[in-house]
Amino acid sequence: ATASEDKDLVIIGGGVAGYVAAIKAGQEGLKVTCIEKRGTLGGTCLNVGCIPSKSLLNNSHLYHQILHDTRHRGIEVSDVKLNLANFMKAKDTAVNGLTKGVEFLLKKNGVEYIKGEGTFVNENEIKVALNDGGEATVRGKNILIATGSEATPFPGLEIDEKRVVTSTGALSLEKIPETLVVVGGGIIGLEMASVWSRLGSKVTVVEFLGQIGGPGMDNEIAKSTLKLLKKQGIEFKLNTKVISGDTSSEKVKLEVDSAKGGKPESLDAEVVLVAIGRRPYTANLGLENIAMELDERGRVIIDSEYRTKIPHIRCVGDATFGPMLAHKAEEEAVAVVEYIKKGYGHVNYGAIPSVMYTHPEVAWVGQTEQDLKAQSIPYRVGTFPFSANSRAKTNLDTDGIVKMIADPETDRLLGVHIIGPNAGEMIAEGTLALEYGASTEDIARTCHAHPTLAEAFKEAAMATHAKAIHF
Ligand code: FAD
Ligand code: NAD
């Protein structure tokens, strides 16, 4: 191995955190190397996460709509068929186009991209086992750990990505399973349950808690979500824990038990999806060679400037604290390069939106009612239902509400929670309002085009400090 010149920044991991940091650093005139072992850039998000899941969600929704939601619109279709191989091809086309696009962007910004697995030799030197064979050594004045996360395994249930799958396997099943049991009713569980249920699987979601949606979803919105997903035919077993699994027969067998203590029950499924959360991934990174600390959940410990205890080694994205979201990783990636180059950067962790891409979509930003209650912070709530919004009515798509939470004295917006059509796009307006410290009156006095779903957003703001017009 030969040591090359010292780079200004060496990035380990070419996911959203790593590739965005690489582009930003290139733009800032730094000499950058990005090391990625997957063979393609974009990490979990582009290869086996955000992008392929949204392709399957979008196209399964379209298929389901054509099958079940056309006659009353005056559209008669017949002979509708699903071609699963081509359905998956459409997903692969989206993924390939985007990962290649990222490779082009790295080139355009002068980033050196090395395909291989990086391991710390010491605090300044990284050894790369190249994908094509052989080894290289890279030295960096600054080093960024952006190695992301992996699915948390379920003890005793071995993942083969065919019958017992993580989200990765669930995004590439070769056949529509007759029965699918999803362990974990968080975002991955509910998005994948939606996809396969729309394609015809009988889906049962087993969730340990009494509520679905994972951490952060407003309780009231989570209840509405549960009701709507049940109406779509997905079955739920809440307050239920999986005790053990058996893969020795044709069907996978799961023993489940009421989390509150009750009768054990057995569930059979052609495919089981394990979606109980994700954990930081730092395997083979050689952290032991630099005595790097991890917290009890395996996260790299950093300070407010993303520095580890070795100041020129920093970490952003899923491998460290905070919500495991692509746009959070992206914000941090820009900020960390700004810290390196200029000494200051900024991420507002109070205004990071979350979106669950089911139908209807669920989206939120800021504080939930339960958060505020727990902190004894006074608040005021205003809601507006999509059933009173003209565009939603025109589209025959009226399930859901916009809910706003504001300070009762200053009227400053504290949180927005939406379940409804296009909630994922609409939440950008809530995020902007929160960033700018808007009051709900500011939002209500902003003219919104008619007829749009966004008028429901404006009317919820009206309902928060005064009264909505159309409800
Ligand atoms: P990753 O994307 O995991 O990237 C890390 C990269 O580092 C990987 O490519 C890995 O191969 C590489 N690597 C690791 N170790 C080494 C090493 N030693 N040497 C070289 N390379 C290494 N988030 C959203 O915001 N919206 C969504 O809709 C969404 N949908 C999702 C759907 C699914 C099914 C999943 C699983 C996740 C989803 N996420 C979504 C979460 C999102 O994918 C992550 O938050 C995001 O990918 C984190 O980016 P990252 O760069 O920190 O990590
Ligand atoms: P999650 O934390 O959102 O949900 C996991 C769920 O599993 C929780 O509801 C939890 O109570 C439940 N659970 C845990 N152990 C269990 C057990 N033994 N039995 C039954 N239920 C159990 O995690 P996830 O859905 O796996 O997603 C992982 C990460 O990926 C999240 O951080 C999420 O933000 C991210 N992600 C985001 C999107 C998006 O933004 N649209 C999509 C997919 C994934």
Side-chain angles (χ1 to χ4, degrees):
T2 52
S4 57
E5 58 175 332
D6 276 18
K7 294 283 182 174
D8 295 319
L9 177 61
V10 174
I11 302 168
I12 312 175
V16 176
Y19 89 70
V20 172
I23 292 172
K24 178 72 183 166
Q27 290 171 347
E28 293 290 342
L30 302 181
K31 272 196 245 151
V32 199
T33 295
C34 181
I35 305 164
E36 168 59 60
K37 66 176 179 172
R38 188 184 297 269
T40 53
L41 292 163
T44 304
C45 179
L46 265 66
N47 291 280
V48 288
C50 326
I51 298 302
S53 63
K54 266 77 260 180
S55 166
L56 298 191
L57 279 157
N58 185 61
N59 293 339
S60 62
H61 177 58
L62 192 59
Y63 172 66
H64 195 255
Q65 251 196 325
I66 294 170
L67 276 184
H68 303 289
D69 191 26
T70 45
R71 200 159 276 273
H72 66 296
R73 296 174 187 270
I75 304 166
E76 288 176 17
V77 281
S78 53
D79 202 24
V80 181
K81 278 194 212 116
L82 184 89
N83 180 327
L84 189 63
N86 286 347
F87 183 84
M88 291 294 173
K89 243 189 226 159
K91 170 202 72 173
D92 296 337
T93 303
V95 168
N96 292 339
L98 286 164
T99 54
K100 288 212 180 85
V102 171
E103 195 165 338
F104 165 77
L105 289 173
L106 289 205
K107 213 176 270 169
K108 183 179 152 198
N109 287 286
V111 176
E112 180 189 38
Y113 165 32
I114 301 182
K115 291 186 185 178
E117 183 171 52
T119 304
F120 281 100
V121 176
N122 57 47
E123 294 182 0
N124 296 95
E125 209 165 88
I126 292 153
K127 182 180 74 192
V128 188
L130 300 169
N131 287 1
D132 289 343
E135 208 173 274
T137 302
V138 192
R139 293 178 56 86
K141 291 178 200 150
N142 293 282
I143 297 170
L144 183 63
I145 300 173
T147 49
S149 62
E150 62 177 353
T152 306
F154 188 89
L157 202 54
E158 204 179 313
I159 305 283
D160 61 10
E161 296 295 9
K162 295 256 180 269
R163 293 204 305 154
V164 181
V165 299
T166 66
S167 50
T168 301
L171 289 167
S172 295
L173 296 180
E174 282 164 12
K175 158 176 180 294
I176 300 165
E178 255 171 53
T179 46
L180 171 71
V181 168
V182 176
V183 185
I187 301 210
I188 292 186
L190 299 180
E191 288 187 350
M192 289 299 104
S194 294
V195 166
W196 292 105
S197 153
R198 290 167 188 168
L199 299 188
S201 300
K202 185 177 171 314
V203 180
T204 307
V205 177
V206 181
E207 166 59 52
F208 182 74
L209 300 175
Q211 179 170 313
I212 57 166
M217 196 182 284
D218 186 85
N219 286 345
E220 188 185 355
I221 299 283
K223 277 192 196 121
S224 308
T225 309
L226 178 64
K227 226 186 256 165
L228 289 171
L229 292 179
K230 273 186 180 168
K231 226 166 75 182
Q232 292 169 20
I234 301 173
E235 270 187 37
F236 287 89
K237 289 190 176 295
L238 301 185
N239 296 306
T240 303
K241 62 176 184 229
V242 175
I243 308 163
S244 62
D246 178 4
T247 53
S248 59
S249 349
E250 196 199 332
K251 294 267 169 69
V252 183
K253 215 182 232 339
L254 292 183
E255 292 297 315
V256 305
D257 201 350
S258 160
K260 291 176 175 161
K263 260 213 227 131
E265 199 188 331
S266 159
L267 292 177
D268 279 350
E270 200 175 320
V271 174
V272 171
L273 163 61
V274 177
I276 57 170
R278 292 181 62 83
R279 62 181 189 190
Y281 178 81
T282 52
N284 300 334
L285 194 52
L287 291 184
E288 62 288 354
N289 299 337
I290 53 170
M292 181 65 74
E293 288 172 37
L294 300 177
D295 77 351
E296 74 292 346
R297 287 163 63 183
R299 299 175 293 196
V300 175
I301 298 172
I302 50 165
D303 67 11
S304 61
E305 297 182 14
Y306 310 104
R307 282 196 165 106
T308 66
K309 68 171 192 182
I310 306 163
H312 71 279
I313 303 179
R314 306 190 196 221
C315 179
V316 294
D318 280 11
T320 186
F321 310 125
M324 288 185 171
L325 294 171
H327 42 279
K328 173 265 192 187
E330 182 166 356
E331 293 300 310
E332 290 184 341
V334 169
V336 77
V337 172
E338 288 175 337
Y339 275 118
I340 289 168
K341 173 79 190 202
K342 303 173 183 159
Y344 56 86
H346 174 74
V347 177
N348 178 359
Y349 289 93
I352 293 179
S354 292
V355 182
M356 180 167 84
Y357 298 83
T358 46
H359 189 84
E361 290 180 348
V362 181
W364 66 94
V365 67
Q367 309 238 46
T368 58
E369 239 190 297
Q370 65 263 25
D371 287 342
L372 293 164
K373 250 187 217 146
Q375 299 166 79
S376 307
I377 298 175
Y379 61 88
R380 188 158 60 197
V381 172
T383 60
F384 191 82
F386 282 100
S387 57
N389 170 269
S390 59
R391 186 63 182 277
K393 268 192 132 49
T394 314
N395 292 351
L396 305 176
D397 197 3
T398 52
D399 285 332
I401 59 164
V402 179
K403 170 174 176 176
M404 266 180 212
I405 305 177
D407 183 310
E409 262 186 39
T410 63
D411 189 34
R412 187 182 173 136
L413 185 68
L414 298 174
V416 181
H417 304 274
I418 308 171
I419 173 167
N422 256 5
E425 298 291 339
M426 197 180 290
I427 203 64
E429 190 175 353
T431 310
L432 194 65
L434 211 59
E435 273 288 356
Y436 276 64
S439 64
T440 66
E441 187 175 348
D442 290 330
I443 300 168
R445 289 189 185 280
T446 304
C447 183
H448 285 63
H450 176 76
T452 58
L453 297 168
E455 286 173 292
F457 190 84
K458 173 190 164 96
E459 294 239 32
M462 288 174 135
T464 311
H465 72 274
K467 279 194 170 137
I469 297 288
H470 292 95
F471 189 66

